[in-house]
Amino acid sequence: MSNTTPTLLRHHRPFIAFWLARVATASGFQMLTVAIGWHIYKLTGSVLDLGLVGLAEFLPRVLFMLHTGHVADRYNRARIAAVCQTVQALIALALVISSYSGDISREMIFLLAFSLGAARAFEMPATQALLPRLVPPSLFPAAVAASASAMQTATIVAPALGGFLFAFGSIWVYVPTAILYVLACGLMLSLPKHPAQQSKEKASLNNLLAGIRFIRSRPDVFGAISLDLFAVLLGGATALLPVFAKDILMTGPWGLGLLRSAPAVGALLMSFWLARFPINRHVGRTMFTAVAIFGVATIAFGISTSFWFSLLVLVVLGAADMISMVIRGAFVQLQTPDAMRGRVSAVNGLFIGASNQLGEFESGLTAHWFGTVPAVVLGGVGTLLVTGTWIKLFPTLAHRDTLEQTEQELAATQKSGVGA
């Protein structure tokens, strides 16, 4: 296992291009998110508006969920990702122009956040379904961890850089963001063209719902995806970081950037470990333990009044989340036939979006009702309750030993058909 990562990087140049594209697009998104969050809180001073930005980014996942998966299964996935990255570059350019002219409003930020969510709604299933075709199955778990490390590498540097640059003016954040998206687009277009083997079926309700039916027919897959939805939905406090930075921890944009980067530090360190030493046994128990640690770390962050302790707790939170994310990501992809991966990834993307963007709305709403600190603490407690409940509801997932399909699961997949 110790040679997994060097082998992955040495013999798979397309994966390196894919990894660099992920770094660029993740960096652009993180910088854009920090700037938009600070921008609207500075503009309105409302924690509810912070939550509404998350809701605006999430809504496209619901509205376009059935179509995003079908598009990823029918057309060239690398080109889909490239188009989406171009759209995100144009969004950053619109923010540059409006910031320069001073004609930026609360409503405009919501509109651009919705557009950003729409582009990411199509980008996510395409990139997730693309990865299994770039590496052999034996290296896929390591590739998932290494791909995740791309996002975390960006998340460490980009939010801190975004917060630092925002102190000089919002344009200093939005211009580099647009450049990063253009770079990601070029890297995606450089990937080799694979023979057309994706679904050529026309869009229909039956075909579009195939991903949902597939997940429902696999209890362990459904349990893994829904665990992330409800645990992170309740435990996410990312949307409230501007409030903690400004009003509780008494820092500025640079402090907000560090707080946004802290979970990624833990996640990056853990992703390096998992890329080198993939988790191949006791995967169910390990995933549930990681989610429980995530909940405890959320509670600790909520009650902290020390900036440095808060950073440390967020590092632990990020490491725990990475373990859960890598296990879940590898498990779902390895359980899904290639012709279905776009549609299944679209459903998975909806759940991830709900746990992140909708979780931001939930955090903003509960903070508006109960206060910032109680909202975060209650969210962490909710994560622990969900973890215990899911162990009871999905006992086979909790006791699952490996990521690969069992003989019974493989037979069920072949019986149901990939396009059903």
Side-chain angles (χ1 to χ4, degrees):
M1 292 297 177
S2 61
N3 293 328
T4 301
T5 301
T7 301
L8 182 65
L9 298 180
R10 186 184 307 119
H11 299 297
H12 298 280
R13 292 183 180 179
F15 176 78
I16 296 175
F18 177 86
W19 190 90
L20 291 173
R22 295 279 283 173
V23 170
T25 192
S27 297
F29 177 70
Q30 290 296 330
M31 292 175 66
L32 203 55
T33 300
V34 168
I36 288 175
W38 190 269
H39 208 148
I40 196 163
Y41 188 61
K42 182 180 179 181
L43 194 65
T44 69
S46 170
V47 293
L48 184 58
D49 280 347
L50 288 172
L52 289 174
V53 168
L55 180 62
E57 289 183 17
F58 170 72
L59 282 178
R61 293 185 186 275
V62 178
L63 297 176
F64 307 129
M65 179 193 70
L66 299 178
H67 297 282
T68 58
H70 178 76
V71 168
D73 281 336
R74 185 169 186 180
Y75 301 104
N76 185 289
R77 292 163 179 167
R79 290 187 178 181
I80 294 169
V83 169
C84 293
Q85 288 152 5
T86 301
V87 171
Q88 292 171 85
L90 292 174
I91 292 170
L93 183 60
L95 286 165
V96 170
I97 296 172
S98 59
S99 296
Y100 181 78
S101 65
D103 188 25
I104 189 167
S105 65
R106 172 178 177 269
E107 290 72 21
M108 180 180 182
I109 291 177
F110 287 149
L111 177 61
L112 292 176
F114 180 87
S115 302
L116 179 64
R120 286 176 59 79
F122 282 90
E123 180 187 13
M124 180 176 289
T127 54
Q128 286 184 345
L130 178 64
L131 180 56
R133 303 186 69 181
L134 298 178
V135 297
S138 61
L139 293 177
F140 185 65
V144 172
S147 177
S149 75
M151 296 186 64
Q152 303 310 324
T153 299
T155 307
I156 288 175
V157 178
L161 180 60
F164 174 77
L165 292 175
F166 196 93
F168 296 94
S170 57
I171 294 178
W172 287 83
V173 183
Y174 297 136
V175 170
T177 297
I179 295 172
L180 285 169
Y181 279 124
V182 171
L183 176 61
C185 176
L187 288 167
M188 278 293 178
L189 292 176
S190 73
L191 294 177
K193 296 180 176 62
H194 292 280
Q197 66 175 53
Q198 289 111 333
S199 171
K200 295 300 182 183
E201 302 175 51
K202 293 184 178 181
S204 67
L205 183 60
N206 181 64
N207 187 39
L208 295 175
L209 291 174
I212 296 176
R213 288 199 302 272
F214 180 87
I215 291 174
R216 288 184 59 189
S217 70
R218 305 295 187 274
D220 284 2
V221 173
F222 177 70
I225 293 176
S226 59
L227 173 65
D228 175 74
L229 167 63
F230 290 103
V232 181
L233 172 66
L234 295 174
T238 304
L240 301 178
L241 287 181
V243 184
F244 275 91
K246 185 174 183 293
D247 300 333
I248 296 175
L249 302 176
M250 304 302 176
T251 184
W254 68 272
L256 172 61
L258 291 178
L259 289 171
R260 287 297 298 263
S261 298
V265 172
L268 179 64
L269 294 175
M270 183 56 66
S271 68
F272 285 158
W273 176 267
L274 294 177
R276 193 170 183 83
F277 302 103
I279 298 174
N280 295 312
R281 304 297 302 273
H282 310 299
V283 295
R285 183 174 64 191
T286 302
M287 181 177 66
F288 278 102
T289 301
V291 175
I293 293 173
F294 179 91
V296 173
T298 300
I299 295 172
F301 175 76
I303 62 178
S304 172
T305 56
S306 165
F307 178 74
W308 298 110
F309 180 73
S310 295
L311 285 178
L312 177 62
V313 169
L314 289 175
V315 169
V316 174
L317 183 148
D321 189 44
M322 175 56 63
I323 295 173
S324 172
M325 184 175 69
V326 167
I327 292 176
R328 184 183 66 255
F331 177 66
V332 172
Q333 292 291 339
L334 288 174
Q335 295 283 316
T336 307
D338 182 69
M340 287 279 299
R341 282 191 176 121
R343 282 163 286 180
V344 171
S345 294
V347 179
N348 189 29
L350 174 65
F351 279 62
I352 293 173
S355 63
N356 293 325
Q357 279 78 43
L358 192 57
E360 292 179 4
F361 174 68
E362 179 272 336
S363 296
L365 190 62
T366 53
H368 180 70
W369 286 343
F370 306 115
T372 302
V373 171
V376 174
V377 172
L378 287 173
V381 172
T383 296
L384 295 177
L385 292 176
V386 166
T387 303
T389 302
W390 256 239
I391 290 175
K392 296 289 186 180
L393 292 177
F394 302 95
T396 58
L397 176 62
H399 295 94
R400 188 167 189 108
D401 188 43
T402 62
L403 295 168
E404 292 82 6
Q405 284 186 327
T406 64
E407 293 182 3
Q408 293 85 353
E409 289 167 340
L410 182 59
T413 298
Q414 294 171 341
K415 183 179 179 180
S416 62
V418 298

